[in-house]
Amino acid sequence: MRLIYSFGISCYALGVRIASLRNTKAKQMLTGWKQTFGRLSIAPVGKDKTAWFHASSLGEFEQARPVLEQFKQQHPDFKICVTFFSPSGYEVRKDYPEADFICYLPMDTKANAIRFVNLLRPTVAFFVKYDYWFNYLEQLRLRQIPTYIFSAIYRPSQYFFKGYGKWYLKHLRNCFTHIFVQNKESLQLLQSHGFEHVSIAGDTRFDRVHAISQAARQFPEVENFLAKRAGNKVILAGSSWEPDEANLKRYLDYKGQGLTLILAPHVISESHIESIISLFGKDSCVRYSRINEATDKSNILVIDNIGLLSSLYRYADVAYIGGGFGRGIHNILEAVTFGKPVIFGPNYKKFQEARDIIALSGGCSYSEYSELEQKMDQLIDNEDNYSSASKVCLKYLADNLGSADKIMDVVNKSNVLQN
């Protein structure tokens, strides 16, 4: 099985090299791999006590931040190293001030893993959610370096629990000092396969979105835009894709007056922004970057900047979360933390928080446009329904805080940091 894994890694690396000839992200990744060892050899980590946090992409990094920042606060004598696999994480957070060193993690070959761990010499290592890199984990295990994974989710459909995955499952059981899972289903699944060093700590994203909401930015220009449309209900569509935008257009046409839409598309390329403006009508739209050009007819604010969405949810009445007609919905918790009821498309089953919020009646999903019309109306036009859903969202967020505390409590009590 190790040969099969190594072959797969080699094929992936070859694919990245070929793609780098045309694809910017692949080129960034390849360049990052090449630079890692040289940068690491002169980095301010690995010489004293070092905590290594690995996040595959930006989403996993945001999950890691509550633990990383609490770790840094409680153990200021440690250096912090953060590694990314994806350019979506590294390129956005390469200047993150709480880390002493940030780099790409080279492909998971045995040679790379030996060289990386030998240079970094971590005292403790943390992985997030789904991360399983056999060779890196094996080198940490061989050196008896305490290694944790948190906000993890495991399902019977994953390869660990298939007949051909028994080898990987055994390794998974042996390489982590402790596994912190999000839910009871993951706990029971691992325990049924002989795991003892596992516990429920929840999802650290709740801690992260709560921290974001407490420090949420204010946007005077947006507040002025909305003040001129006082009395309108505000729908904020976050990380929208084309099917989401088409359905929202139909809803605005059906509803007529009395609505303001803030649209923050997942892709903010010029071509996509132009297609949105064409869809909704030039007279109805104003870009955020040109918000001072808004007219009395402008009831749709198109966000053409990155990094604003998580704070903008504060201005919504209802949050529409995009991605549900594609690979899966985007983050609903950024809206829920402000007490905003959420609506999203049908592809949400892999997201525990989405299933929870539907069960609690703090949000809803739809598959056909007619369902969107009905469910949006129930929130827009019925104050009792809206108030109840909003309270559910706030309570759900509050009930799930404290994951980072649980994780650090176990880590600190194990005394592994004293070595």
Side-chain angles (χ1 to χ4, degrees), residues 279-346:
L279 173 67
F280 285 92
K282 186 175 181 180
D283 290 341
S284 299
C285 297
V286 62
R287 297 176 182 229
Y288 173 78
S289 61
R290 303 173 188 171
I291 196 170
N292 61 330
E293 299 176 8
T295 69
D296 292 341
K297 295 181 179 180
S298 306
N299 68 323
I300 301 167
L301 176 60
V302 182
I303 306 300
D304 54 358
N305 298 60
I306 63 172
L308 310 184
L309 180 58
S310 61
S311 292
L312 284 172
Y313 279 119
R314 69 191 303 164
Y315 299 116
D317 288 301
V318 176
Y320 180 105
I321 311 300
F325 290 91
R327 296 179 63 182
I329 61 172
H330 295 279
N331 191 346
I332 74 168
L333 296 180
E334 291 178 337
V336 168
T337 189
F338 287 104
K340 310 302 180 180
V342 289
I343 295 180
F344 40 84

